[in-house]
Structures are given as C-alpha cells and as structure tokens.
Amino acid sequence: MEPSRVVLLCPVRGCSAPLARGERTWTCPRGHSFDRARSGYVNLLQPQDKRSKTPGDSKEAVAARHRLLEAGHDAPFLEDLKTTLQNLSLPPHPTLLDVGCGEGTHLAALASTLQAEAHGLDLSVPAIDLAARLHPGPTWIVANADRFLPYEASSFDLILSLTARMNPPELRRILSPQGRLLVAIPAEDDLAELREAVLGEKHLRNRVDRTLATFASDFELESHHPVRWEARLDAEGMRDLLAATYRGGRESQRGRVEGLDGGAVTMGRDVLVFRGKAAG
C-alpha cells in the first residue's frame, strides 16, 4: 500500500496531533489510540459529538439506499458527476474526500474514474462499515462532519458533499488552495411524487439560494447546473426510497406507501462547484 498523502488528526478535544496508522490501530504521539474495525474503518467519533446513542442513518436505511443504488436508480446522477469532475482542472491522482459518504458507492466509482486517493467520512457506523466491506480501497472514517473534520489543513484537492453535510469553515480549512468543492443538493422537484404520497404535498422547494448563502463567506461559486431524471420503481423500491429518504417514516407515512404499487418518481440534483476564497 502506498503511503497516504492525507494526514489524519486526533479528534480528542485539545489534541489534534497527527495520527499514525498501525496494523490494527491509529495512534497519536500523546497516546490516544483508535482501533481499526475488522471491516477496515476507524471510528473517530467523540462522545461530545454524538447526537444520540446510534447517530446517523440506521442499518435499515443504509441497506435500503444501497439496494436503490445497486438497482441503478441513481446512475444518471453518477454519470453527470463523472463528467463534471473530469472537466475540472484537478491534478493527476487527486486527494478526494466525500463528506457524508454513506455506503460509499459514489466515492468508490468517482475515485476509480479520477484515479484518486479516496477518503470517506460519515456519522453512521452501519454506513461506514458497509462501505469498508464493499470498497476496501478508500480510507473510511466515522466522525461528525458538523464538527471538527479530522484532517490536516489543505489536505484535499476535491471534496464532495452529495446531499450531505455542510460545514463551510472546516471544508475550507481542509481544501487545498487550488481545490474544488462539489456540493449536490436535492432539486426543487426531487421526489415530488413521493412527497405527495407520503406528506400530502407536492410543492417545489428551491434550495439553491440558501446553499449559496451558506457558503458565501468561505467559497466562490464556479459553476451550477441541474440534473434531472425519472426512476421507475416497483412497490419494494418505493418502500426502500421511503426508508432511505425519511429514515423509515412515521407509521401513517409507511401506511400510505404500503398502498403504492410503484410508478415513476422524479429525481433531481442541483450541482454546484465552488472554489475557496483567499484568506483575508
């Protein structure tokens, strides 16, 4: 295995010393140690960074999302991402981080396309465990992306936030000076049919302006384009979509979806590419 160009930092409060990777543990010079799980990931989540006893997506939600991805229902989005990233002026073999990577399907595919050194981070242990089992190449980390991101400054040439977490100051800190941040958010009509069936409403939700405002202090927008497609789902696929999107939904919501035989569902993303603003 080639040595990593990305240095992980100790997440213990007040430490932030570099972590050295051993055969079974990651250890910092101050003696803080983190075991490598059997599947290959390392859990750096600190007690104060947990929002519940089992933070992040459940095992059921992770499995449902994986089945949807395996069935190809996200394929148009993935192909658009590949094209978008290949058109960026990235260095050869870039360092790549997916913040909120889930079960790793997108990161693994994009890392292969770019021949990148890949790193994935998510709050969910079931998601990272599945990612590590399915894709042993990248470095998989459990951590809270809303808090401290356990990487040295300027570590990454490319960072992805695919319908995931947004922590602009930390993302800016770990992005290289010439790097790019790609943020994908649900388009205004994403899952309109499911929202109508589950929530009884189908109104459009434009998230672009809010996202631009969130990143305005630390980043400059380089490009923006929409991606939309239609997925045809059977009844099981509808249930998986509910589980993956609404974490199972309330009892009344599940009941409404149970009555669906399947059908066409609109899917869409707004894809925004940012450059970091210069310091000062």
Side-chain angles (χ1 to χ4, degrees), residues 52-269:
S52 70
K53 291 183 178 180
T54 55
D57 286 339
S58 67
K59 185 175 182 179
E60 292 74 22
V62 169
R65 187 172 296 113
H66 180 63
R67 287 191 293 268
L68 291 168
L69 294 172
E70 282 287 284
H73 295 306
D74 220 34
F77 175 51
L78 183 55
E79 289 306 310
D80 181 87
L81 288 175
K82 290 178 180 179
T83 300
T84 299
L85 297 183
Q86 287 174 321
N87 288 333
L88 297 180
S89 55
L90 297 172
H93 309 294
T95 49
L96 166 61
L97 171 67
D98 188 357
V99 176
C101 62
E103 45 74 86
T105 293
H106 292 100
L107 177 60
L110 296 173
S112 177
T113 297
L114 297 172
Q115 294 297 294
E117 178 187 325
H119 297 253
L121 180 149
D122 202 279
L123 183 62
S124 166
V125 170
I128 288 291
D129 181 64
L130 181 58
R133 293 177 187 278
L134 293 173
H135 311 289
T139 299
W140 303 105
I141 300 296
V142 177
N144 188 340
D146 291 335
R147 307 290 177 86
F148 171 69
L149 293 173
Y151 306 99
E152 273 194 340
S154 303
S155 286
F156 295 100
D157 301 307
L158 175 63
I159 299 175
L160 309 174
S161 174
L162 308 179
T163 63
R165 309 312 302 173
M166 299 181 187
N167 185 349
E170 276 293 278
L171 294 174
R172 181 69 191 92
R173 181 183 66 81
I174 65 174
L175 185 68
S176 68
Q178 303 303 317
R180 300 292 192 281
L181 167 67
L182 187 148
V183 177
I185 56 177
E188 60 182 8
D189 55 352
D190 183 56
L191 308 183
E193 296 83 2
L194 183 66
R195 291 205 308 268
E196 184 176 36
V198 173
L199 304 176
E201 51 90 10
K202 197 178 180 180
H203 67 267
L204 304 183
R205 297 179 177 180
N206 190 313
R207 299 172 174 86
V208 174
D209 290 343
R210 183 180 65 187
T211 302
L212 292 175
T214 297
F215 285 96
S217 296
D218 298 279
F219 291 89
E220 296 176 349
L221 181 67
E222 186 172 84
S223 67
H224 165 218
H225 69 271
V227 186
R228 286 179 174 80
W229 68 101
E230 184 179 89
R232 299 202 66 85
L233 303 172
D234 57 17
E236 183 178 355
M238 284 287 195
R239 290 192 290 272
D240 277 344
L241 190 57
L242 176 67
T245 306
Y246 295 102
R247 299 190 180 183
R250 298 173 181 171
E251 196 66 38
S252 60
Q253 295 170 354
R254 288 198 296 270
R256 291 170 191 159
V257 172
E258 288 293 335
L260 297 178
D261 294 327
V265 177
T266 300
M267 294 189 173
R269 304 286 184 270

